[in-house]
Amino acid sequence: PRLHTLLAKNNRLGGPGSLPKGLGQAPLGRSLRVLNLSGNRFAEVPPALLGLRGLQSLSLGGNRLHGIPPDIQELRSLEFLYLGGNFITSIPPELANLPSLNYLVLCDNKIQSIPPQLAQLHSLRSLSLHNNLLTYLPREIINLVHLEELSLRGNPLVVRFVRDLTYNPPSLQELAGRTIKTRNVPYAPSDLPENLVRYLSLASNCPNPKCGGVYFDSCVRQIKFVDFCGKYRLPLMHYLCSPECSSPCSSASQSSTSQSESDSEDEASVAARRMQKVLLG
Amino acid sequence: FRYTRNLVDNGNGKFNLMILCWGEGHGSSIHDHTDSHCFMKILQGNLKETLFEWPEKKGNGEMAKKSERVLRENQCAYINDSIGLHRVENISHTESAVSLHLYSPPFDSCNTFDQRTGHKHKVKMTFYSQFGERTLC
């Protein structure tokens, strides 16, 4: 009745009835904090455990999961979720409804995309995505302000960005928005549809101090990649307001990553500009 | 959240002896060893070591894998810069791993390499703990 930690890894659990149906009921439902079912044969997250409201740590690493049930959001107290080494192909947006999630491991799966809603996991500090099938990351991922660690190796990711997004001019909406902002064209909320008013309010100033431009879909963020030893910061992306901003903008991040900027200089200038235009499509 | 480096002995400045603790799925970057000798012994669990060739001067393509092997408990490995570069990973999703590392002479920075491009980046290495005391940085 006061069971706190249950470790049942490396067994042959996975068939129907592997876990007792009443697992989620009181008192176990409220006392269990840590559950480790890694190295078993579960083909789906056993529904019985979704009632464990007090569960803080769940590991289902090294099983045979093909997906994550949306009802995972029922595990309201979850802080640590390890799902590495399965066959998961996609992530339900409901995963983002876990308010206390700090540590999310999804490495060694078959994930093709990350839902943008994942950016709502404000408490997320570590995200492991290495060895998946990701070709891009959602732009919103930069909203994870508390993210300290992110592993992305072994995804067909970075090179794809650079090649496909070389020539991606701003949309007409963006160009119009930039003109309105830089020329101070007056407008009132009653003049425009609500969505455009909101869009215009999202304008940001180009970090390049020599450039007075604004942009709408951009950011300069630095997130640590755990693939590197020690403390190491690598810009996740650069986003510029115009091609003319390429070199000065790189100096904006030079304060924290001097070495990576010298790498950019070593590259052919065209490739350097491409890297700086990495978009999260 | 990631593997920890725990200094055990600094051998009067002649070497660094440390214990690395790898959680499930934890791995290192591809790195060099700053002209030092590096010995590694597995104390618990298993670690996969992937060897890479040094990239061309102006690295501009996927780095070439030389070989890979899984080191078992009590196995030892050695590497230095003339042998090549490596990535060390705990590929288990159920077991953690512990390894003992000896570096001589000691070094506190190395280069990490992007597998996709061969570009290198110098990084300072930090300790999670030293002589049993947590190192805050």
Side-chain angles (χ1 to χ4, degrees):
Chain A
R2 292 277 162 84
L3 190 64
H4 190 280
T5 301
L6 176 57
L7 306 176
K9 59 184 193 179
N10 295 323
N11 287 288
R12 292 188 202 171
L13 298 168
S18 287
L19 295 183
K21 278 211 197 88
L23 194 66
Q25 281 156 31
L28 193 60
R30 256 173 263 131
S31 69
L32 200 64
R33 296 269 173 273
V34 177
L35 178 58
N36 189 329
L37 294 169
S38 61
N40 281 289
R41 299 177 185 181
F42 289 103
E44 55 160 15
V45 176
L49 68 85
L50 295 174
L52 294 165
R53 303 247 156 194
L55 198 66
Q56 289 171 349
S57 166
L58 173 62
S59 175
L60 281 160
N63 276 280
R64 300 175 187 179
L65 303 177
H66 280 83
I68 307 168
D71 284 341
I72 193 100
Q73 60 183 338
E74 302 294 308
L75 296 171
R76 310 292 304 156
S77 309
L78 208 60
E79 295 170 14
F80 174 108
L81 179 57
Y82 192 108
L83 294 170
N86 281 285
F87 303 105
I88 297 168
T89 53
S90 70
I91 302 169
E94 288 80 2
L95 189 62
N97 292 335
L98 293 169
S100 314
L101 201 63
N102 291 142
Y103 187 35
L104 178 58
V105 179
L106 294 165
C107 63
D108 294 294
N109 275 289
K110 308 280 177 198
I111 299 168
Q112 292 174 18
S113 71
I114 306 293
Q117 291 86 348
L118 231 59
Q120 286 156 32
L121 285 167
H122 293 301
S123 50
L124 201 64
R125 287 174 43 205
S126 177
L127 178 57
S128 163
L129 292 170
H130 60 272
N131 298 332
N132 274 289
L133 300 171
L134 295 172
T135 51
Y136 65 87
L137 290 179
R139 177 174 302 140
E140 289 80 359
I141 203 157
I142 51 111
N143 294 333
L144 291 168
V145 278
H146 291 115
L147 195 66
E148 295 164 9
E149 298 167 346
L150 172 62
S151 68
L152 286 171
R153 63 187 154 84
N155 280 286
L157 193 59
V158 178
V159 174
R160 210 37 197 264
F161 279 165
V162 173
R163 276 203 223 117
D164 292 349
L165 301 170
T166 314
Y167 301 103
N168 206 359
S171 63
L172 277 177
Q173 178 171 289
E174 165 118 14
L175 287 172
R178 289 184 185 193
T179 306
I180 289 172
K181 286 289 171 183
T182 53
R183 306 275 174 120
N184 285 314
V185 175
Y187 65 93
S190 50
D191 296 331
L192 298 168
E194 191 193 313
N195 64 314
L196 287 180
V197 176
R198 218 176 313 130
Y199 178 82
L200 287 171
S201 70
L202 293 173
S204 314
N205 292 309
C206 182
N208 179 0
K210 297 196 187 109
C211 169
V214 297
Y215 50 87
F216 290 85
D217 297 309
S218 61
C219 76
V220 178
R221 283 285 290 169
Q222 293 187 333
I223 301 178
K224 263 186 264 186
F225 276 67
V226 276
D227 296 340
F228 302 89
C229 54
K231 279 197 181 288
Y232 177 45
R233 291 177 163 266
L234 178 76
L236 185 58
M237 74 195 113
H238 286 246
Y239 210 132
L240 306 164
C241 74
S242 76
E244 287 77 52
C245 284
S246 51
S247 17
C249 269
S250 69
S251 66
S253 53
Q254 215 147 31
S255 46
S256 310
T257 38
S258 47
Q259 279 320 111
S260 73
E261 261 46 70
S262 65
D263 286 352
S264 300
E265 282 141 30
D266 288 345
E267 291 171 324
S269 58
V270 176
R273 253 192 301 147
R274 272 195 230 152
M275 274 310 289
Q276 289 177 345
K277 281 192 179 184
V278 167
L279 290 170
L280 301 186
Chain B
F1 288 74
R2 54 187 302 265
Y3 72 93
T4 61
R5 306 173 78 242
N6 303 278
L7 184 67
V8 168
D9 194 328
N10 60 10
N12 280 334
K14 301 285 189 201
F15 62 78
N16 269 351
L17 185 68
M18 64 189 78
I19 289 186
L20 269 58
C21 299
W22 312 75
E24 296 89 322
H26 287 174
S28 77
S29 62
I30 301 172
H31 57 274
D32 63 10
H33 299 86
T34 321
D35 291 327
S36 292
H37 300 282
C38 300
F39 300 84
M40 163 166 70
K41 174 170 175 158
I42 315 295
L43 299 180
Q44 180 182 303
N46 303 294
L47 288 176
K48 175 170 141 183
E49 179 193 34
T50 310
L51 289 180
F52 290 87
E53 302 278 9
W54 279 88
E56 301 295 307
K57 196 71 185 166
K58 295 261 171 179
N60 232 338
E62 183 97 23
M63 285 175 68
K65 240 184 239 189
K66 261 171 55 160
S67 63
E68 64 181 45
R69 58 176 169 167
V70 175
L71 298 161
R72 310 276 172 197
E73 240 171 66
N74 283 323
Q75 251 188 290
C76 288
Y78 169 81
I79 195 168
N80 64 44
D81 283 351
S82 66
I83 293 175
L85 309 166
H86 71 179
R87 183 195 302 280
V88 180
E89 311 168 81
N90 177 14
I91 52 173
S92 171
H93 296 290
T94 57
E95 312 305 323
S96 54
V98 180
S99 53
L100 182 68
H101 295 245
L102 176 67
Y103 299 116
S104 177
F107 58 96
D108 61 5
S109 71
C110 69
N111 290 301
T112 62
F113 296 78
D114 182 334
Q115 186 168 349
R116 301 210 151 260
T117 59
H119 287 147
K120 67 174 195 245
H121 182 118
K122 183 173 168 184
V123 293
K124 258 198 124 29
M125 295 145 78
T126 60
F127 291 112
Y128 184 81
S129 74
Q130 299 182 56
F131 317 110
E133 307 250 329
R134 179 82 173 88
T135 308
L136 299 163
C137 45

